[in-house]
Amino acid sequence: MQDTMSKMRREVLEIPDAVDRLLTRDLGTIDAAADTLRQTNPAFLATVARGSSDHVATYLKYASELLLGVPVASIGPSIASIYDAPLKLKGAGCISISQSGKSPDIVAMAQSATDQGALTLAITNDPVSPLTKASLHTIDIHAGPELSVAATKTFVNSAVAALLLLARWKGDVELTAAIHALPDQLAAACQTHWPNLRDALDGHSSIFTLGRGPSWAMSNEAALKFKETCQIHAESYSSAEVLHGPVSIVGADFPVLGLTAADAAEDALTEVADAIAAKGAKVFVTSGKCKTAERLEHIRTDHPLTDPISLITSFYAMVERLATARGINPDTPRHLKKVTETR
């Protein structure tokens, strides 16, 4: 019997093992980088990334600011690669995130940051990539080969690596334990693939995705994947912003996905989700606190900062099924290739 499972689905199902691999193989390099950050004590961090990796950087930003009180700024790689403009990064921490570690603009910005005296660190799935050579420290995410164009397990492992780096930097025992508990929880999240949301998207070509804080990073990633794998026009908003203007285009049965962790933003996001549902939209939210919106099944973890990783895993399981139901091969999105090299 021929196996018709997509590469993307295989890789989503590999997420628990990939995370376990990261947590058992590369703790030494993560601890070394965390020790250096602790000793250097940078006043701020900068991130360098594009696409899905930039959504990891957004997640890292919120986690750093919540955990450590260290602000994080995103640097446009073109500052180095196109404009050749040096930045005053001496004494800062600079974290570059790239699955392949090959994009010339990311490498150029990392090298420029190193040259300017920043403590540079690469998070990548290729520990011998050009990005590694441009950085002082490297964390290998150990995701293994990812053959589908859509990034899934590399996104999750990059997020876990970034969060563990921060947890070890702070010496947060509770968060570290929660991260190490993720593989079993993500195995359950892989099997939680939101058929009610998939059914509601039948016949629709647009959707809003919502988040707040660390979960907004996952909302951004979800919107990208809707476009990439399903050819659905998706826009991501903070739940604090969506009522300021974007809600004007919401009509009857307009689909909305709200991603919320069990954190301080959950009440605020579910209130917005309920308000949009009351206007006639078809709103789904990963919370049991909703009253008008529809609850999505979700796997909670042992810490508010690890909840978003579970949510994006379930989303990936859902969106792969949605793509195949629409007759789209999620492994080979049109106009795209696996490694996009920009300058």
Side-chain angles (χ1 to χ4, degrees):
M1 183 176 177
Q2 187 177 6
D3 186 354
T4 58
M5 185 183 294
S6 72
K7 294 182 181 71
M8 183 179 177
R9 186 178 296 191
R10 286 184 183 279
E11 288 162 2
V12 171
L13 294 173
E14 288 171 17
I15 286 173
D17 287 340
V19 171
D20 184 68
R21 207 158 44 237
L22 169 65
L23 296 175
T24 54
R25 289 190 185 178
D26 211 32
L27 295 183
T29 56
I30 292 174
D31 281 343
D35 288 344
T36 305
L37 284 164
R38 192 179 308 110
Q39 292 161 13
T40 305
N41 192 27
F44 72 96
L45 296 175
T47 59
V48 183
R50 290 201 187 279
S52 288
S53 294
D54 200 34
H55 303 154
V56 174
T58 300
Y59 174 67
L60 182 154
K61 167 187 171 64
Y62 279 102
S64 173
E65 292 169 359
L66 291 169
L67 271 179
L68 297 157
V70 177
V72 180
S74 173
I75 298 177
S78 60
I79 292 297
S81 65
I82 296 292
Y83 297 102
D84 193 24
L87 295 177
K88 297 176 181 179
L89 292 172
K90 185 175 182 179
C94 183
I95 300 176
S96 300
I97 306 169
S98 171
Q99 302 159 37
S100 69
K102 294 177 182 177
S103 191
D105 56 346
I106 305 295
V107 175
M109 190 64 246
Q111 186 63 63
S112 178
T114 300
D115 294 343
Q116 293 302 312
L119 172 59
T120 50
L121 190 150
I123 297 177
T124 180
N125 203 33
D126 184 354
V128 295
S129 65
L131 182 60
T132 293
K133 296 173 185 176
S135 307
L136 299 176
H137 292 267
T138 296
I139 295 174
D140 180 357
I141 64 172
H142 293 288
E146 188 172 60
L147 302 178
S148 179
V149 169
T152 54
K153 63 179 181 173
T154 54
F155 177 91
V156 169
N157 271 36
S158 295
V160 172
L163 187 62
L164 184 57
L165 173 69
L166 299 178
R168 301 299 285 178
W169 176 3
K170 184 181 180 182
D172 191 319
V173 175
E174 181 183 358
L175 177 55
T176 299
I179 293 169
H180 280 272
L182 276 172
D184 287 344
Q185 294 158 347
L186 297 182
C190 287
Q191 303 301 324
T192 306
H193 37 75
W194 304 341
N196 48 343
L197 173 59
R198 296 202 312 272
D199 291 345
L201 284 168
D202 186 35
H204 287 275
S205 58
S206 294
I207 188 171
F208 281 174
T209 62
L210 307 178
R212 190 81 185 264
S215 294
W216 181 60
M218 304 309 169
S219 171
N220 293 344
E221 172 65 3
L224 174 62
K225 287 298 189 289
F226 272 127
K227 298 177 187 125
E228 188 177 31
T229 66
C230 299
Q231 296 166 21
I232 291 175
H233 177 246
E235 292 190 64
S236 173
Y237 292 99
S238 164
S239 62
E241 299 289 343
V242 70
L243 296 180
H244 289 196
V247 74
S248 179
I249 71 169
V250 170
D253 295 328
F254 186 92
V256 178
L257 168 62
L259 298 173
T260 182
D263 64 9
E266 183 176 13
D267 288 344
L269 189 145
T270 53
E271 286 172 10
V272 169
D274 283 338
I276 297 175
K279 301 179 189 300
K282 192 68 173 174
V283 184
F284 298 83
V285 64
T286 57
S287 173
K289 296 185 175 184
C290 53
K291 297 175 182 176
T292 311
E294 185 171 339
R295 176 187 179 274
L296 284 175
E297 183 183 0
H298 51 275
I299 305 300
R300 290 292 187 230
T301 63
D302 295 341
H303 195 284
L305 283 174
T306 50
D307 277 357
I309 296 172
S310 169
L311 298 180
I312 200 62
T313 299
S314 293
F315 172 83
Y316 286 151
M318 181 281 298
V319 82
E320 184 276 339
R321 286 166 170 80
L322 180 63
T324 55
R326 288 184 167 223
I328 300 170
N329 182 352
D331 296 330
T332 56
R334 64 184 183 182
H335 313 314
L336 298 177
K337 57 184 180 179
K338 183 60 182 173
V339 178
T340 301
E341 297 186 7
T342 50
R343 68 179 186 90

